Amino acid sequence: MSKSTAEATFGGRQIAELQIPKVDVRKPAGEQIFQAIKQAILRMDLSPGCIISESEIGAKFGSSRTPVREALMRLREAGLVTTLPSRGNFVAKLDSGKIQEARFLREALEMANIRQLIEHELPDTAHEALIDNLNQQHHAVEACDHSLFGKFDDEFHLILAAATGYPRAAKVLEREKMVLDRLRVLSLQKADHLATLYDEHRGLFNAICDRDLFQAFDIAHIHLNSILAVLSDLEERHSEYFD
């Protein structure tokens, strides 16, 4: 990963610079603000350490203070925003230890999901959903659409988790993946990496369908640990983003 690619990824934008629509008055404002700011943080549109002003959020969304504060409270609970006394709200910096822990927990969950699906067979509905998902991933790779690929990447893993029949597993996986999502933005910038991830997803799907536990585990281990190289690169180039 070149320095120019890394720098292009993190633009250091402010709230006022984000392309965000006004709040839809027909829907809860707090939820809309929470989702929009969360996605901006996870996409690294708002860099770690960036200040988040309540007044700027309110002006940007055309919203009153109450839903803004509700959204910020949820962002703090999600570990994406931190509040410093007498200084204000900031995008939480990255924590190498928490990232390593999230990767560990994610791998444990993913491997358990794979074992469950191979031992009890992949349900037909999940099989069809995964085929459609992989087709969508392929289109995103061909279009070199990083954002769209990221969406279907998330969906692929959540379909597998949901197919186990343990809905809490899918929720825990989604929570732990969120800790890693800011690193993934960096890794998805290269078209050849998109193709690699797609090939790994398809290989994992085929191994599960063939009920080949050894092959599935081998692919999953490589796939789930690739984020460590991104972490090393980011720590070297953007130490200011880490606590």
Side-chain angles (χ1 to χ4, degrees):
M1 174 86 48
S2 68
K3 184 175 181 180
S4 60
T5 301
E7 288 175 346
T9 303
F10 309 113
R13 298 178 187 174
Q14 302 298 315
I15 292 288
E17 298 173 288
L18 298 179
Q19 298 299 313
I20 295 174
K22 297 291 186 182
V23 165
D24 184 340
V25 295
R26 297 168 299 178
K27 301 175 183 177
E31 172 66 17
Q32 294 176 69
I33 296 170
F34 167 72
Q35 291 295 340
I37 301 298
K38 181 183 82 170
Q39 290 306 317
I41 292 173
L42 296 181
R43 289 193 306 264
M44 295 289 272
D45 288 340
L46 294 173
S47 301
C50 172
I51 191 166
I52 298 183
S53 163
E54 285 189 19
S55 59
E56 284 188 1
I57 294 175
K60 187 68 178 179
F61 286 90
S63 172
S64 64
R65 281 188 172 185
T66 299
V68 170
R69 289 178 174 173
E70 174 193 329
L72 286 172
M73 179 184 69
R74 292 180 62 188
L75 289 164
R76 280 192 292 271
E77 290 173 350
L80 296 176
V81 165
T82 184
T83 301
L84 302 178
S86 304
R87 292 186 59 192
N89 301 297
F90 298 83
V91 175
K93 289 196 173 186
L94 298 168
D95 183 315
S96 181
K98 289 180 179 179
I99 290 169
Q100 294 274 12
E101 183 180 38
R103 185 216 55 79
F104 174 83
L105 290 171
R106 182 192 175 191
E107 183 172 3
L109 284 167
E110 295 268 18
M111 294 301 195
N113 291 340
I114 290 167
R115 181 184 293 278
Q116 176 76 5
L117 293 174
I118 287 176
E119 290 180 350
H120 297 277
E121 202 166 8
L122 188 67
D124 289 342
T125 52
H127 186 276
E128 293 172 6
L130 288 166
I131 289 176
D132 180 65
N133 175 276
L134 287 165
N135 287 334
Q136 297 294 339
Q137 287 186 44
H138 181 65
H139 293 321
V141 171
E142 289 190 323
C144 201
D145 190 327
H146 310 112
S147 177
L148 187 62
F149 184 87
K151 173 181 179 294
F152 289 113
D153 182 349
D154 285 340
E155 185 181 271
F156 176 83
H157 292 279
L158 291 177
I159 291 171
L160 289 177
T164 64
Y166 299 126
R168 283 177 58 198
K171 288 193 174 297
V172 173
L173 178 61
E174 188 172 18
R175 185 188 69 211
E176 295 306 324
K177 279 180 86 283
M178 190 165 63
V179 179
L180 304 170
D181 276 346
R182 289 191 279 180
L183 294 184
R184 188 181 63 172
V185 169
L186 184 62
S187 69
L188 292 181
Q189 297 304 305
K190 296 176 66 177
D192 60 341
H193 190 59
L194 295 188
T196 297
L197 292 178
Y198 166 72
D199 288 342
E200 290 171 354
H201 286 155
R202 181 163 288 282
L204 180 57
F205 170 71
N206 290 336
I208 291 173
C209 290
D210 294 340
R211 305 182 80 171
D212 186 337
L213 184 64
F214 179 81
Q215 178 72 358
F217 272 14
D218 188 49
I219 294 171
H221 179 73
I222 294 170
H223 182 70
L224 298 171
N225 282 276
S226 62
I227 200 71
L228 295 179
V230 180
L231 175 60
S232 177
D233 179 82
L234 188 58
E235 283 186 299
E236 180 182 345
R237 298 184 183 278
H238 290 279
S239 59
E240 73 275 16
Y241 289 162
F242 288 80
D243 276 331

